């Protein structure tokens, strides 16, 4: 939008194709500005089918929801077909971004639930033995060939912590979805919880790692260190000890002698107000 931006420098009649993540409202604003400047705006946010695919940006893993007020030319159709394995025209400006938002939410939920299933399986192995077949079991409830929980479990088991699609990219997508929810006055606590987990992974050094690396947040410090993560960064970011050995348990006592510690009533809960590394003013668009 600046003096050297595409809107001011592109020739009248040019078509702009936006592949980025945004909110439906912002997509409509972009379209309005483009229209005023005699440009054609095509909203086509690149949407991955599987967050943990080995080649996340391969054509077959990319879905292309498309929204525009104009008729798509043959040239634009060929461009979209070259990028996306499937192109879906969804109507007016804003709707393609909405489809991407709603598409990402269940993928992120699958990611976290599968990782937590693995964490439970691994922890239970110490007492009852691990199943080691939860990937197969999770896949059985999916339509054949549909990406889902089983794909995530497999990626975690294979420790596929690197890839073109990163935790920071997923964080940006979820941020866009959360802002869309704010615009629609809808509260999405599950998305907020997932974002906090991803923020933690980013803080300890996993911004450029694949989403499967979120499993390292559920493992011990040694596992994270082997993958290049540094939990001391969390101590600095959150203002809390990095390990239980450094924790101050003075807020607990056993005043009545019953053998159980009680949390003292004068503990200051405000200590936890700044738990999130990013406040409400953080600009996720930089991602």
């Amino acid at each position: 939008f600046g003096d050297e931006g595409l809107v001011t420098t592109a020739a009248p009649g040019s078509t702009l194709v936006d592949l980025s993540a945004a909110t439906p409202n912002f997509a409509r604003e972009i379209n309005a500005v483009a229209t005023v400047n005699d440009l054609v705006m095509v909203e086509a946010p690149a949407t991955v089918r599987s967050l943990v695919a080995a080649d996340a940006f391969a054509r077959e893993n990319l879905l292309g929801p498309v929204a525009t007020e104009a008729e798509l030319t043959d040239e634009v159709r060929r461009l979209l077909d070259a990028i996306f394995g499937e192109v879906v025209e969804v109507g007016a400006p804003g709707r393609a971004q909405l489809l991407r938002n709603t598409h990402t939410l269940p993928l992120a939920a699958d990611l976290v639930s599968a990782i937590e299933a693995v964490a439970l399986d691994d922890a239970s192995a110490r007492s009852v033995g691990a199943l080691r077949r939860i990937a197969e079991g999770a896949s059985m409830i999916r339509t054949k060939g549909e990406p889902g929980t089983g794909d995530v479990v497999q990626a975690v088991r294979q420790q596929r912590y690197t890839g073109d699609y990163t935790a920071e990219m997923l964080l940006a997508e979820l941020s866009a979805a959360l802002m869309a929810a704010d615009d629609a006055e809808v509260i999405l606590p599950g998305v907020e919880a997932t974002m906090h987990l991803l923020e933690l992974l980013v803080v300890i050094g996993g911004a450029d790692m694949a989403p499967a690396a979120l499993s390292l947040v559920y493992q011990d410090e040694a596992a994270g260190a082997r993958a290049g993560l540094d939990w001391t960064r969390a101590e600095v970011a959150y203002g809390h000890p990095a390990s239980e050995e450094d924790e101050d348990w003075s807020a607990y006592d056993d005043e009545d002698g019953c053998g159980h510690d009680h949390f003292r009533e004068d503990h200051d809960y405000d200590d936890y107000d700044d738990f999130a590394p990013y406040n409400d003013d953080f600009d996720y668009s930089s991602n």
Side-chain angles (χ1 to χ4, degrees):
F1 299 124
D3 293 339
E4 300 300 322
L6 288 174
V7 170
T8 55
T9 59
S14 296
T15 298
L16 305 181
V17 181
D18 185 9
L19 305 177
S20 62
T23 66
N25 284 350
F26 186 61
R28 287 194 292 270
E29 292 175 10
I30 293 177
N31 179 76
V33 173
T35 301
V36 168
N37 286 271
D38 296 322
L39 301 172
V40 176
M41 192 72 211
V42 175
E43 171 191 337
T47 304
V48 295
R49 291 184 179 279
S50 171
L51 300 177
V52 296
D55 189 355
F57 294 113
R59 182 175 177 274
E60 60 270 16
N61 194 50
L62 286 181
L63 172 68
V66 177
T68 181
E69 290 181 325
E71 185 73 23
L72 293 178
T73 64
D74 290 340
E75 290 82 1
V76 173
R77 288 185 184 277
R78 286 197 295 270
L79 171 65
L80 296 175
D81 286 339
I83 297 173
F84 302 113
E86 181 181 1
V87 175
V88 182
E89 295 183 47
V90 293
R95 296 193 67 180
Q97 291 293 354
L98 178 60
L99 189 151
R100 176 174 180 156
N101 293 157
T102 57
H103 175 87
T104 301
L105 299 190
L107 292 183
D110 273 349
L111 175 77
V112 174
S113 62
I115 286 174
E116 292 187 346
V118 172
L120 175 60
D121 188 40
D122 287 344
S124 299
R126 291 189 290 270
S127 57
V128 298
L131 293 174
R132 302 296 181 186
R133 293 177 62 84
I134 57 175
E136 179 182 339
S139 297
M140 290 173 61
I141 63 173
R142 294 275 168 179
T143 302
K144 186 176 181 181
E146 178 186 354
T149 306
D151 295 329
V152 176
V153 173
Q154 186 178 53
V156 172
R157 290 294 188 213
Q158 294 175 354
Q159 299 183 9
R160 298 206 308 261
Y161 300 149
T162 60
D164 295 331
Y165 186 83
T166 67
E168 191 172 41
M169 291 178 185
L170 177 56
L171 186 59
E173 286 193 37
L174 291 178
S175 176
L178 197 59
M179 287 187 288
D182 287 341
D183 291 341
E185 299 183 348
V186 175
I187 298 174
L188 303 177
V191 178
E192 294 179 4
T194 300
M195 287 182 65
H196 282 308
L197 289 171
L198 287 166
E199 287 166 351
L200 176 57
L201 178 62
V202 168
V203 165
I204 62 178
D208 295 328
M209 300 179 76
L214 188 61
S215 62
L216 293 167
V217 170
Y218 292 81
Q219 300 179 41
D220 57 29
E221 292 183 37
R226 288 193 295 271
L229 301 179
D230 182 0
W231 276 97
T232 61
R233 296 179 183 179
E235 180 180 359
V236 173
Y238 298 117
H240 293 286
S243 65
E244 291 186 3
E245 288 78 6
D246 300 325
E247 187 72 76
D248 178 10
W249 296 102
S250 60
Y252 292 85
D253 60 20
D254 181 20
E255 293 178 349
D256 60 5
C258 69
H260 299 285
D261 290 336
H262 299 283
F263 202 67
R264 288 213 292 254
E265 294 180 357
D266 60 354
H267 184 75
D268 185 5
Y269 279 93
D270 292 338
D271 292 345
Y272 298 91
D273 284 348
D274 297 323
F275 181 77
Y278 303 135
N279 60 32
D280 291 338
D281 298 324
F282 184 80
D283 182 10
Y284 281 99
S285 63
S286 63
N287 291 343

